[in-house]
């Protein structure tokens, strides 16, 4: 069965958690004991109606405050598809959690409160979805029940969003759906209150939208995670390089190069515990055996000669800053990229992005929490990379504060 | 042959590849990781995947069983056989020892459970053996606090989880860096559902403890759960009559807090059909989760898996 990973986005109280609860509830993916627990809690808290957001707001602090603090992952399946949902928080101070949920998604649902229209968080999240190259976006205009299910209101918001989104270059497909997460209109069942809307319900759209693979099957990339050397007589000469294919296709007999050393060899065998494979491609985890004994270890990358990746110590990247303290341009960082970890310093802060206007900010270069912009980074050892636009795996990295060990930034390498 | 072809990867292949990737990251990023092995289906699947991830070498992990002493005998037999088959190293950390050493005090009364005590036993075993990471078979679909977990879950030097301040986990880049004394919990099966686990067990033909399948068992009812009356660990009260029924277990844990379900499911196919039609979550049979609204979150904050 086919798998779709999607994430929610939108400002606080736009109804993200309620919508996920509604999707689960109306698609009969809720168990009786879960529902009973939610009903109990809602009643105890004195809610007017059962709060379906409680189905994903699983932490005590979230339930008490009625907000989402961290990403919750939920799973459900219909006969057409299996879904992994990341329900993310809308508060600006939790943007890093929103990005966490979005980094593995193929589709984003951006909620807009019909009473408020397009606001700063809408723009921020659309911008982030675009930056992370989530190519499919559903704009769910929610709380239609509070604007008399007005078509004019829907059209007005749709136009405002399209106007902003026309400047986002990676969005392949946008679908606008008027909904009420609370009442259930157009979530799983077609709304009777909005006969003017002819499009699909949200669930139908999620079940049927064609989402091309995000895997790259062209440029062959294999980051080495671990070297297998059994200490046994039976497997005496076995020396395998384990990892998960990050791009392209590998076959026995293929000529390969190990980077950064540049040594060349051929693939002898693609080993798995279930026997050898005839080919390996993303995202399979396998173990490669090479014809020659060459020095290879974790952090190296096995590639094929056509379209090799870049190898270098200078990286240009867009980053999203997560640290609670502003970025210190003279700070010491660890850069983690595929299975490689190197030290890094900031060579130059180029600009920040004003997410409302999408203009560059060049007169205030201090990156505070949730700022997005462009940096040049210098690393202590070579990194083997592709532009993020070509390969999500070999084009992404995180920065870790060398003192606190906290993850302080997400980076996407520019071509 | 056409130039464009599709590279189909089944859902189980995707989940398997992801779990193997996480297991290898764990081996690479930590000095001395342990794999928590309870003899329940999730830890069995995790250990199975670990064997595959490092084949043909041995597992680079110690298996750690935190033993409450209240086991189904079938689970222990199974545990020892399984450990031998996959050629792993097993360490048992016993709650009884923690009680004998005065590290914890046994709860009193007929509702006493050792579930809370095992956190101390686990944390002691972690510090005695200098484990810096523990692999757990927890899945996000199991329980609402687990739905909030990262693959690599950072714990402070008391083993505690701080759910409001988790490290962002982007793409598949796991940050396992820590200060001396801190630890990690790692969950390779995060994205698996109960159904995925069963489908995988069937696909791989993994042997299971036989109490997962339908059998006759003497049980009694408490708070809506059917508790075991055969091992003697759970004590029926006078108003809790013992009945013999056709039962099986959906999860296996400490006998005193794992409820059985009435079921005729005798094969994996039967179980899969049953799971597909289930109207209750699997942890609905676990008295340890029913103790309060946020029982799981509280235990995780204390340092439980
Ligand atoms: N009237 C109305 N209220 C809604 C709707 N969707 C959500 N709400 C309410 O809006 C509030 C915030 O919802 P929640 O799902 O927690 O928002 P989140 O912060 O985006 O996750 C709650 O009180 C919901 O009951 C809707 O379609 N109509
Ligand atoms: Mg929410």
């Amino acid at each position: 069965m086919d798998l779709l990973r999607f994430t929610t986005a939108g400002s606080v109280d736009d109804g993200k958690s309620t919508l996920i609860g509604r999707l689960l509830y109306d698609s009969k993916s809720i168990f009786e004991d879960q529902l009973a627990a939610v009903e109990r809690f809602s009643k105890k808290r004195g809610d007017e109606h059962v709060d379906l957001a409680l189905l994903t707001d699983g932490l005590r602090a979230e339930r008490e405050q009625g907000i989402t603090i961290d990403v919750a992952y939920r799973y459900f399946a219909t006969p057409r598809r299996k879904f992994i949902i990341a329900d993310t928080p809308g508060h600006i101070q939790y943007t890093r959690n929103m990005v966490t949920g979005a980094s593995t998604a193929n589709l984003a649902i951006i909620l807009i409160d019909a009473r408020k229209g397009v606001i700063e968080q809408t723009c921020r999240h659309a911008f982030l979805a675009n930056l992370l190259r989530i190519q499919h976006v559903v704009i769910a205009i929610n709380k239609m029940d509070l604007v008399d299910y007005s078509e004019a209101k829907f059209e007005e918001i749709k136009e405002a969003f399209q106007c902003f989104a026309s400047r986002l270059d990676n969005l392949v497909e946008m679908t606008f759906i008027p909904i009420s997460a609370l009442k259930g209109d157009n979530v799983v069942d077609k709304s009777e209150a909005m006969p003017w809307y002819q499009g699909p319900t949200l669930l139908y759209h999620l079940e049927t939208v064609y989402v091309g693979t995000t895997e790259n099957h062209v440029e062959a990339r294999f980051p080495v995670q671990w070297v297998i050397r059994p200490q046994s007589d039976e497997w005496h000469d076995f020396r395998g390089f384990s990892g998960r294919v990050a791009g392209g296709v590998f076959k026995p007999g293929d000529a390969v190069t190990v980077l950064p050393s540049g040594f060349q060899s051929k693939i002898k065998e693609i080993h798995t515990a279930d026997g050898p494979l005839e080919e390996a491609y993303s995202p399979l985890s396998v173990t490669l055996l090479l014809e020659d004994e060459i020095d290879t270890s974790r952090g190296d990358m096995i590639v094929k000669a056509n379209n090799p990746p870049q190898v270098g110590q200078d990286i240009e990247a867009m980053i999203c800053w997560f640290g609670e303290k502003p970025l210190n341009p003279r700070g010491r960082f660890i850069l983690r990229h595929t299975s490689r970890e190197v030290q890094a310093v900031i060579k130059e802060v180029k600009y920040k992005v004003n997410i409302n206007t999408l203009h560059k900010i060049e007169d205030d270069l201090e990156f505070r929490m949730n700022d997005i912009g462009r940096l040049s980074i210098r690393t202590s050892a070579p990194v083997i990379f592709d532009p993020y636009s070509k390969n999500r795996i070999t084009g992404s990295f995180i920065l870790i504060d060398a003192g606190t060990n906290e993850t302080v930034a997400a980076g996407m390498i520019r071509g | 042959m056409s130039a464009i072809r599709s590279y189909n990867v089944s859902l189980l292949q995707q989940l398997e590849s992801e779990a193997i990737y996480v297991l290898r990251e764990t081996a690479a990023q930590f000095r001395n990781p342990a794999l928590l092995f309870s003899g329940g289906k999730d830890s069995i699947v995790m250990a199975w995947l670990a064997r595959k991830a490092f084949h043909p070498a041995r597992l680079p992990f110690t298996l750690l069983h935190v033993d409450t002493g209240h086991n189904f005998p079938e689970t222990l037999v199974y545990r020892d056989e399984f450990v031998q088959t996959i050629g792993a190293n097993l360490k048992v950390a016993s709650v009884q020892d923690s009680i004998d050493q005065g590290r914890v005090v046994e709860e009193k009364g007929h509702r006493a459970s050792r579930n809370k005590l095992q956190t101390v036993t686990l944390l002691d075993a972690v510090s005695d053996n200098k484990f810096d990471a523990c692999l757990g078979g927890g899945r996000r679909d199991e329980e609402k606090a687990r739905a909030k977990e990262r693959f690599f879950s950072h714990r402070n030097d008391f083993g505690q989880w701080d759910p409001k301040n988790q490290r962002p986990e982007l793409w598949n880049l796991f940050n396992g860096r820590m200060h001396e004394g801190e630890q990690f919990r790692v969950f390779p099966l995060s994205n698996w559902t109960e159904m995925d686990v069963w489908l995988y067990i069937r696909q791989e033909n993994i042997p299971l403890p036989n109490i997962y399948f339908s059998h006759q068992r003497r049980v009694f009812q408490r708070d809506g759960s059917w508790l075991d009356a055969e091992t003697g660990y759970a004590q029926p009260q006078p108003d809790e009559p013992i009945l013999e029924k056709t039962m099986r277990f959906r999860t296996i844990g400490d006998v005193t807090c794992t409820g059985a379900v009435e079921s005729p499911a005798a094969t994996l196919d039967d179980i899969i059909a049953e799971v597909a039609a289930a109207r209750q979550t699997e942890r609905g049979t676990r008295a340890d989760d029913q103790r309060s609204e946020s029982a799981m979150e509280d235990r995780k904050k204390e340092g439980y898996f």
Side-chain angles (χ1 to χ4, degrees):
Chain A
M1 198 191 325
D2 176 26
L3 176 70
L4 179 73
R5 290 170 181 257
F6 67 91
T7 184
T8 59
S11 190
V12 194
D13 283 349
D14 284 350
K16 296 179 292 300
S17 301
T18 308
L19 174 65
I20 299 309
R22 173 58 67 185
L23 264 178
L24 294 169
Y25 183 76
D26 284 357
S27 65
K28 313 220 167 14
S29 311
I30 302 295
F31 293 103
E32 284 164 3
D33 50 328
Q34 287 172 321
L35 190 62
V38 163
E39 281 168 354
R40 254 192 332 265
F41 194 90
S42 249
K43 204 161 156 195
K44 197 171 93 192
R45 205 173 54 181
D47 297 346
E48 252 167 61
H49 42 76
V50 176
D51 181 3
L52 293 175
L54 291 167
L55 287 166
T56 60
D57 288 338
L59 299 175
R60 182 193 300 205
E62 293 177 327
R63 301 161 88 78
E64 284 169 3
Q65 300 171 50
I67 60 165
T68 308
I69 293 173
D70 206 339
V71 198
Y73 295 90
R74 295 299 309 240
Y75 304 80
F76 79 105
T78 67
R80 290 202 182 90
R81 251 188 189 153
K82 165 137 184 169
F83 300 94
I84 300 183
I85 317 170
D87 182 28
T88 69
H91 285 82
I92 186 154
Q93 79 256 40
Y94 302 128
T95 298
R96 61 190 209 167
N97 299 336
M98 179 266 164
V99 176
T100 292
S103 70
T104 50
N106 317 111
L107 178 149
I109 301 178
I110 299 180
L111 273 89
I112 296 178
D113 184 330
R115 296 168 306 174
K116 298 183 190 152
V118 174
I119 57 173
E120 173 162 330
Q121 277 299 73
T122 320
C123 299
R124 170 180 297 274
H125 289 164
F127 179 74
L128 282 169
N130 182 63
L131 190 65
L132 289 159
R133 301 188 85 83
I134 298 178
Q135 302 185 330
H136 301 267
V137 173
V138 176
I139 314 300
I141 297 167
N142 188 32
K143 308 199 183 181
M144 289 300 290
D145 55 303
L146 298 181
V147 294
D148 294 330
Y149 297 104
S150 151
E151 180 177 12
K153 196 86 206 165
F154 172 75
E155 290 298 336
E156 177 193 321
I157 295 170
K158 181 171 164 181
E159 210 165 293
F161 186 86
Q162 275 170 331
C163 176
F164 173 76
S166 62
R167 287 169 290 168
L168 302 173
D169 44 355
N170 300 326
L171 299 184
V172 169
E173 183 252 351
M174 268 189 285
T175 301
F176 295 82
I177 307 180
I179 65 168
S180 166
L182 187 72
K183 307 259 154 86
D185 297 84
N186 289 334
V187 178
V188 171
D189 301 314
K190 233 178 153 27
S191 170
E192 284 172 14
M194 292 179 275
W196 48 265
Y197 173 72
Q198 303 296 328
T201 64
L202 178 64
L203 182 64
Y204 184 80
H205 178 71
L206 294 174
E207 286 184 314
T208 52
V209 59
Y210 172 76
V211 178
T213 172
T214 56
E215 318 284 348
N216 173 325
H217 288 125
V218 183
E219 287 101 10
R221 305 282 185 264
F222 188 82
V224 175
Q225 262 187 297
W226 179 259
V227 181
I228 295 185
R229 298 225 59 172
Q231 310 293 327
S232 69
D233 293 342
E234 187 191 350
W235 300 96
H236 192 78
D237 292 324
F238 188 100
R239 189 150 169 273
F241 305 108
S242 294
R244 198 176 186 194
V245 181
V249 183
F250 290 89
K251 295 189 173 115
D254 282 349
V256 293
T257 306
V258 179
L259 295 175
S261 69
F263 288 127
Q264 300 190 341
S265 185
K266 279 196 167 126
I267 296 180
K268 184 160 82 185
E269 185 190 315
I270 301 171
H271 176 90
T272 73
D274 301 314
L277 298 184
E278 277 171 22
E279 55 181 11
Y281 40 85
S282 185
L284 297 180
S285 285
V286 298
T287 298
L288 299 184
L289 309 191
L290 301 183
E291 293 283 1
D292 308 281
E293 282 270 327
I294 48 181
D295 178 15
T296 305
S297 54
R298 175 173 167 85
D300 291 350
M301 197 182 294
I302 299 175
V303 306
K304 293 209 284 199
N306 62 328
N307 303 316
Q310 299 175 54
V311 181
Q313 288 173 254
D314 290 296
I315 292 178
E316 292 288 315
M318 290 297 287
I319 65 147
C320 182
W321 183 255
F322 298 146
E324 299 199 347
K325 292 207 207 100
L327 182 155
N328 172 0
R330 306 188 54 184
R332 287 186 314 118
F333 300 100
I334 310 287
L335 183 146
R336 176 179 283 284
H337 171 263
T338 64
S339 54
R340 186 166 260 258
E341 220 178 66
V342 294
Q343 291 181 28
V345 293
I346 310 300
K347 222 168 64 182
E348 190 188 347
V349 177
K350 296 222 155 134
Y351 59 82
K352 293 198 298 186
V353 177
N354 175 328
I355 47 123
N356 291 316
T357 59
L358 300 184
H359 290 152
K360 292 177 185 174
I361 305 172
E362 282 161 322
D363 53 353
D364 164 20
L365 294 178
E366 184 176 74
F367 274 71
R368 286 172 291 269
M369 191 157 74
N370 302 316
D371 279 345
I372 295 158
R374 176 88 174 262
L375 299 183
S376 305
I377 295 172
R378 172 87 184 163
T379 59
S380 61
V383 177
I384 306 143
F385 61 91
D386 292 294
Y388 186 77
S389 57
K390 274 199 173 166
N391 190 317
R392 263 191 182 189
I393 303 170
T394 55
S396 56
F397 63 87
I398 54 172
L399 287 180
I400 300 167
D401 183 305
T404 63
N405 290 332
E406 292 300 325
T407 303
V408 288
M412 284 138 280
I413 300 172
R414 298 290 295 223
Chain B
M1 229 180 74
S2 89
I4 300 168
R5 55 162 290 192
S6 62
Y7 294 93
N8 281 327
V9 181
S10 75
L11 183 63
L12 289 181
Q13 266 179 313
Q14 290 185 46
L15 292 169
E16 180 187 65
S17 279
E18 178 178 79
I20 288 177
Y21 171 83
V22 177
L23 287 156
R24 288 171 175 165
E25 275 307 289
T26 308
Q29 291 200 34
F30 299 100
R31 249 183 308 112
N32 186 23
L35 185 151
L36 298 172
F37 186 80
S38 66
K41 66 181 189 314
D42 299 325
S43 66
I44 291 169
V45 165
M46 177 169 60
W48 183 268
L49 287 160
R51 183 192 62 83
K52 289 183 113 175
F54 302 99
H55 185 273
R58 282 169 163 265
L59 297 198
F61 313 119
T62 306
L63 300 198
L64 176 66
H65 180 204
V66 179
D67 179 2
T68 65
H70 295 159
N71 299 297
F72 295 100
E74 295 86 346
T75 320
L76 289 187
V77 172
Y78 175 92
R79 177 192 77 187
D80 295 336
E81 276 177 20
F82 183 81
V83 166
Q84 222 182 8
T85 327
I86 68 165
N89 224 331
L90 175 76
K91 261 199 166 51
V92 179
S94 141
V95 173
Q96 186 63 49
D97 288 349
S98 304
I99 295 169
D100 295 345
Q101 291 159 10
R103 296 281 294 136
V104 293
V105 178
E106 178 112 66
E107 291 180 8
K108 296 215 170 53
H110 70 279
R111 283 169 180 271
S113 156
R114 288 184 166 180
N115 216 61
K116 212 166 143 55
L117 311 185
Q118 56 176 332
T119 299
V120 173
T121 308
L122 169 69
L123 293 177
D124 285 353
V126 166
S127 74
D128 292 349
N129 295 284
K130 300 205 164 33
F131 293 131
D132 51 354
C134 292
L135 286 154
R139 295 179 283 107
R140 289 170 177 159
D141 93 315
E142 259 180 286
E143 202 281 332
K144 58 187 183 300
R146 288 202 164 153
K148 297 274 170 181
E149 274 284 9
R150 303 286 192 256
F151 281 98
F152 271 38
S153 178
H154 179 256
R155 303 299 161 97
N156 68 12
D157 38 6
F158 294 92
Q160 293 166 321
W161 185 47
D162 180 3
K164 284 172 75 172
N165 197 17
Q166 301 197 74
R167 287 183 182 172
E169 196 165 81
L170 293 121
W171 302 287
N172 288 311
L173 293 168
F174 303 143
N175 173 4
R177 297 181 70 94
M178 64 185 137
H179 294 292
E180 192 59 34
E182 296 175 351
Q183 326 162 14
F184 272 80
R185 299 286 181 273
V186 181
F187 302 101
L189 306 186
S190 288
N191 280 330
W192 296 52
T193 62
E194 184 186 17
M195 184 56 120
D196 298 327
V197 168
W198 285 111
L199 291 172
Y200 189 71
I201 288 169
R202 182 171 68 179
Q203 171 186 297
E204 301 283 301
N205 207 2
I206 306 175
L208 285 186
N210 53 17
I211 56 177
Y212 274 117
F213 301 94
S214 172
H215 57 281
Q216 293 300 113
R217 180 173 289 271
R218 278 177 290 122
V219 290
F220 65 94
Q221 197 164 32
R222 179 178 294 165
D223 305 334
S225 299
W226 290 105
L227 293 182
D228 166 79
E230 292 191 2
T231 58
Y233 296 125
Q235 285 158 20
Q237 298 302 292
D239 60 342
E240 295 172 331
I242 296 177
L243 305 172
E244 175 156 331
K245 287 177 158 292
T246 307
M247 306 299 278
R248 70 175 201 89
F249 289 92
R250 240 176 120 182
T251 67
I252 294 183
D254 182 285
V255 174
T256 63
C257 54
T258 307
V261 290
E262 288 195 77
S263 163
T267 64
L268 287 174
D269 288 340
D270 295 344
I271 291 179
I272 286 164
E274 195 178 281
V275 169
R279 297 306 309 145
Q280 300 277 326
T281 58
E282 56 184 315
R283 293 200 79 93
T285 63
R286 294 288 281 259
D288 40 336
D289 288 355
Q290 312 299 324
R291 281 196 163 189
S292 83
E293 173 64 26
S294 52
M296 175 67 86
E297 178 179 344
D298 296 341
R299 279 183 294 153
K300 286 169 89 67
K301 284 182 180 159
E302 283 165 16
Y304 181 77
F305 315 142

